[in-house]
Amino acid sequence: FEVKYEGNDDDYTQETVYTPQKTIERQTKHWYKHNGNGSYQRIKKLYLDNFLDQTDSLVLSENQKKQAHYIINLGITSKIDYKYQSRKVEIAGDEYDYQQLERIIKDGKDTERYDYEYDSKGNWIVCKIYKIKFARWELTDIKRREIEYRN
């Protein structure tokens, strides 16, 4: 197999995989699209045997937080939304707005929720992740972190 890369070194690349017989087995196209509201999209299209198999479009905010993820696979569309809660956080004596992931919605249904515990500085030290299972929220993961502060 031979792999060939093409693009403009800016916002577009194309990867083509050739068989030993020099026919295209798979082609993947990647590009970035800036939206008018400051967000942008990372788009990937996968072609198998010269047919579009899957389109993957990830919408990111100006600070690179996921906003939405669209996947079209063989004509079936799936959408994932990411919802954030705005919090005030102090960094080196200055206060900033921080967008913290609150929940994930897949195809219009809540599927994941996040619950946080904070230290005295307002930074999360425990993140509990809940997923919907059999119409009930079930704790599926706990992430802990230690933060050491300098005076």
Side-chain angles (χ1 to χ4, degrees), residues 26-73:
R26 179 178 70 239
Q27 192 172 60
T28 308
K29 299 177 181 183
H30 302 264
W31 66 93
Y32 293 90
K33 175 186 167 196
H34 290 276
N35 300 325
N37 62 0
S39 68
Y40 64 97
Q41 286 179 269
R42 272 191 343 212
I43 301 166
K44 178 175 99 174
K45 292 192 177 222
L46 173 64
Y47 295 83
L48 298 175
D49 295 325
N50 287 325
F51 291 102
L52 179 60
D53 182 65
Q54 181 173 318
T55 301
D56 190 318
S57 177
L58 183 62
V59 181
L60 301 162
S61 67
E62 62 275 1
N63 58 2
Q64 298 190 8
K65 297 270 187 188
K66 292 179 186 177
Q67 292 180 326
H69 189 184
Y70 300 90
I71 301 167
I72 302 170
N73 194 352

Side-chain angles (χ1 to χ4, degrees), residues 129-146:
I129 301 171
Y130 297 87
K131 292 186 179 181
I132 198 84
K133 290 192 178 175
F134 305 111
R136 296 184 54 161
W137 289 105
E138 182 178 299
L139 179 63
T140 58
D141 196 10
I142 297 177
K143 295 181 182 183
R144 300 178 192 278
R145 65 181 190 174
E146 285 186 32

Side-chain angles (χ1 to χ4, degrees), residues 64-145:
Q64 298 190 8
K65 297 270 187 188
K66 292 179 186 177
Q67 292 180 326
H69 189 184
Y70 300 90
I71 301 167
I72 302 170
N73 194 352
L74 299 173
I76 300 169
T77 302
S78 177
K79 180 183 180 192
I80 302 169
D81 287 309
Y82 300 86
K83 300 298 178 188
Y84 296 87
Q85 179 179 6
S86 185
R87 296 186 49 251
K88 298 285 184 192
V89 177
E90 184 180 318
I91 301 173
D94 294 326
E95 198 172 81
Y96 294 91
D97 282 327
Y98 177 75
Q99 299 294 311
Q100 188 165 288
L101 185 60
E102 180 181 40
R103 60 191 168 121
I104 296 176
I105 302 165
K106 292 182 182 176
D107 296 324
K109 297 177 183 173
D110 273 359
T111 58
E112 289 184 33
R113 291 191 178 174
Y114 298 80
D115 186 32
Y116 299 90
E117 294 176 24
Y118 305 95
D119 65 10
S120 61
K121 301 273 189 183
N123 292 303
W124 73 265
I125 52 173
V126 177
C127 173
K128 295 178 182 177
I129 301 171
Y130 297 87
K131 292 186 179 181
I132 198 84
K133 290 192 178 175
F134 305 111
R136 296 184 54 161
W137 289 105
E138 182 178 299
L139 179 63
T140 58
D141 196 10
I142 297 177
K143 295 181 182 183
R144 300 178 192 278
R145 65 181 190 174

